[in-house]
Amino acid sequence: MDTQEKIRSQVTSNPVVLYMKGSPKFPQCGFSGLAIQILQACGVKDLVAIDVLADPAIRDGIKVYANWPTIPQLYINGEFIGGSDIMRSMYEQGELQKLIETAN
Amino acid sequence: MLSANELKAYIASGLACEHIEVLGNDGQHFEAVVVSSAFVGKSMVQQHQLVYQALGDRMRSEIHALSMRTFTPEAWANS
């Protein structure tokens, strides 16, 4: 399976997927840490966190997949939602909580 | 070292903007506010993609971390 197919499979077979640097317990970047905090504040139950530092092909491939040059990247029900700025903005407006609820 | 003013100029050269503010003085971490009529009718993802597009390869090389907020002129006037 090539990287793009692998990513497509990851984001479509799991309700909430976060591509991040490090792990939820030990994020390796402030933006990834913020993304995890926001998801936890939204009450996410079934989060799949993928550490891009552990897989260079995914780290490069994910930027192509969503035409988005930065990490973290959040996907809900297969759809690209945004990076940490968009997550924060949607959280402040109460929109992200609703999306997470549909995925829980 | 990349300055906030240089980053501002990079964005402005790739995207017609009504207003740009860029903060950050460590050469690596920046915060930007971008107001452009090119954002009208676009999702937040698409708005950020337009800014990333304006920065092109610089996003991969020079710029380590860019946090941004994007506004249409109307949203900016009401903010």
Side-chain angles (χ1 to χ4, degrees):
Chain A
M1 205 187 318
D2 83 358
T3 304
Q4 295 299 308
E5 275 176 53
K6 190 173 167 187
I7 291 168
R8 188 178 308 279
S9 157
Q10 285 170 338
V11 301
T12 53
S13 56
N14 300 289
V16 184
V17 183
L18 183 74
Y19 292 84
M20 65 180 293
K21 293 180 179 172
S23 68
K25 281 205 172 118
F26 298 103
Q28 300 292 316
C29 148
F31 295 114
S32 289
L34 174 67
I36 285 292
Q37 279 178 17
I38 291 172
L39 288 174
Q40 285 168 347
C42 289
V44 69
K45 285 183 184 142
D46 200 5
L47 170 66
V48 173
I50 294 172
D51 180 3
V52 301
L53 298 178
D55 191 337
I58 294 284
R59 184 180 184 171
D60 288 337
I62 196 65
K63 297 177 180 177
V64 174
Y65 185 80
N67 184 27
W68 194 263
T70 60
I71 289 157
Q73 292 187 14
L74 176 68
Y75 294 79
I76 297 180
N77 295 325
E79 192 195 345
F80 175 57
I81 304 301
S84 59
D85 291 331
I86 289 177
M87 288 175 66
R88 176 162 53 188
S89 165
M90 290 178 73
Y91 175 69
E92 284 167 357
Q93 288 162 22
E95 291 171 22
L96 193 59
Q97 292 88 324
K98 288 181 205 156
L99 266 183
I100 294 287
E101 211 165 294
T102 66
N104 269 344
Chain B
M1 190 174 92
L2 185 66
S3 74
N5 267 337
E6 284 169 313
L7 182 52
K8 184 175 170 178
Y10 290 158
I11 296 172
S13 68
L15 180 69
C17 298
E18 271 74 8
H19 178 75
I20 311 180
E21 290 167 30
V22 180
L23 297 175
N25 53 19
D26 69 356
Q28 296 210 304
H29 301 80
F30 298 95
E31 282 179 38
V33 170
V34 184
V35 183
S36 171
S37 45
F39 298 153
V40 174
K42 296 205 158 55
S43 70
M44 241 187 308
V45 166
Q46 291 168 328
Q47 294 179 5
H48 286 219
Q49 276 169 334
L50 283 173
V51 178
Y52 287 141
Q53 219 173 64
L55 291 169
D57 284 342
R58 293 196 168 94
M59 263 327 285
R60 293 173 206 278
S61 50
E62 288 174 68
I63 303 162
H64 170 70
L66 171 64
S67 172
M68 67 171 125
R69 287 183 297 151
T70 53
F71 298 88
T72 61
E74 194 187 347
W76 179 244
N78 295 331
S79 74

